[in-house]
Amino acid sequence: MSAVLQCRQLSVLAGQKKLIVPFDWQVNAGERWAVLGQNGVGKTVLLHALLGVDARCRPNIYLSGVPLSELSVQRQAQQRVWIPQRYDEPFTITVTQALRSVAPDVSIEYILNQLAVFGLRKHAQAWVHQLSGGERQRLTWAMAAVRITETTRLWLLDEPFSAQDIAWQRRLLQYLREQKHALIATVHDLNQVRAFATHVLLLADGKVLAQGGVQDVMCTARLTEAFGVALRVNDAGWVSI
């Protein structure tokens, strides 16, 4: 399979502190990875490293076979889209202007279509700060979706369902299942994993505890070790305490 992302002996750092010891990892085209672990284990910092935020990590991260250290920010942006935990807009702009700021060349019709996908069409001319928390989170989805082109190969998502009600969680999970790109998402709800992911990266105690297919990683023993509480995975794959 075609490797979209590779990590070769990547250490995840927070300042001078090593959160995750060196590990290897490969994400192939069409794979959907869930990144799991306790709070503070380094899930978000890992995503930031994959974005090239920490220059020390860039030589160990390969996007379509090329180290991030050799790719300009523009070339990286052509291959991936990013959905943060929340959208903090420091200026007063409208919802439509927010999408236009990341995709200045697309038509207004395309922008309105993407807003409709994420339930924001009626808020097209609303100020961003007037949106609810869940609506603002879905705005980050629309801002990512409007940037998708023929060169897009990877989605990076940080807790993308955290502010959503049950109905929108289901819709967004279905949306991810329909994507053909590789994607990596941090999540807290373990029962969401089977709803969208094909693979899991499980973090614990400063290391990658396990990585691989959902069926292989999402087992009682590994999840209990990773989260430090007695968890049970039943025959259908649902996780409970």
Side-chain angles (χ1 to χ4, degrees), residues 66 82 169:
V66 181
W82 161 240
Q169 286 181 27

Side-chain angles (χ1 to χ4, degrees), residues 130-162:
Q130 294 177 320
L131 300 179
S132 70
E135 291 167 341
R136 189 175 293 200
Q137 186 180 53
R138 295 202 306 277
L139 177 59
T140 66
W141 284 73
M143 292 172 70
V146 80
R147 290 186 52 246
I148 294 176
T149 69
E150 65 278 1
T151 64
T152 302
R153 302 198 67 201
L154 176 66
W155 286 62
L156 298 174
L157 310 93
D158 193 12
E159 297 183 30
F161 316 111
S162 59

Side-chain angles (χ1 to χ4, degrees), residues 49-175:
L50 300 181
L51 286 167
V53 172
D54 191 333
R56 296 169 295 180
C57 298
R58 294 173 195 162
N60 303 87
I61 301 170
Y62 294 74
L63 191 59
S64 299
V66 181
L68 291 190
S69 55
E70 298 179 12
L71 292 171
S72 67
V73 173
Q74 291 77 14
R75 286 188 62 193
Q76 293 179 43
Q78 289 170 355
Q79 296 189 52
R80 68 178 178 220
V81 292
W82 161 240
I83 297 181
Q85 289 185 26
R86 57 186 176 273
Y87 177 53
D88 295 320
E89 174 51 59
F91 306 106
T92 301
I93 63 175
T94 68
V95 168
T96 296
Q97 288 170 337
L99 268 67
R100 181 70 75 193
S101 71
V102 297
D105 298 326
V106 302
S107 69
I108 185 62
E109 291 79 11
Y110 187 67
I111 285 176
L112 294 177
N113 286 340
Q114 291 302 318
L115 289 176
V117 169
F118 298 102
L120 298 171
R121 175 65 180 84
K122 64 182 179 181
H123 300 304
Q125 298 308 317
W127 301 113
V128 169
H129 69 266
Q130 294 177 320
L131 300 179
S132 70
E135 291 167 341
R136 189 175 293 200
Q137 186 180 53
R138 295 202 306 277
L139 177 59
T140 66
W141 284 73
M143 292 172 70
V146 80
R147 290 186 52 246
I148 294 176
T149 69
E150 65 278 1
T151 64
T152 302
R153 302 198 67 201
L154 176 66
W155 286 62
L156 298 174
L157 310 93
D158 193 12
E159 297 183 30
F161 316 111
S162 59
Q164 300 305 311
D165 60 36
I166 293 175
W168 269 107
Q169 286 181 27
R170 293 186 64 180
R171 292 173 190 167
L172 295 175
L173 286 164
Q174 177 62 33
Y175 182 87

Side-chain angles (χ1 to χ4, degrees), residues 172-220:
L172 295 175
L173 286 164
Q174 177 62 33
Y175 182 87
L176 289 187
R177 287 195 298 270
E178 294 171 352
Q179 299 309 302
K180 297 180 181 179
H181 312 103
L183 67 87
I184 302 168
T186 67
V187 293
H188 281 300
D189 186 338
L190 300 181
N191 285 317
Q192 289 176 341
V193 174
R194 289 183 179 273
F196 81 93
T198 61
H199 293 73
V200 174
L201 185 77
L202 183 60
L203 307 178
D205 299 323
K207 64 182 179 181
V208 174
L209 182 62
Q211 59 174 291
V214 171
Q215 297 279 20
D216 296 326
V217 177
M218 296 288 285
C219 65
T220 296

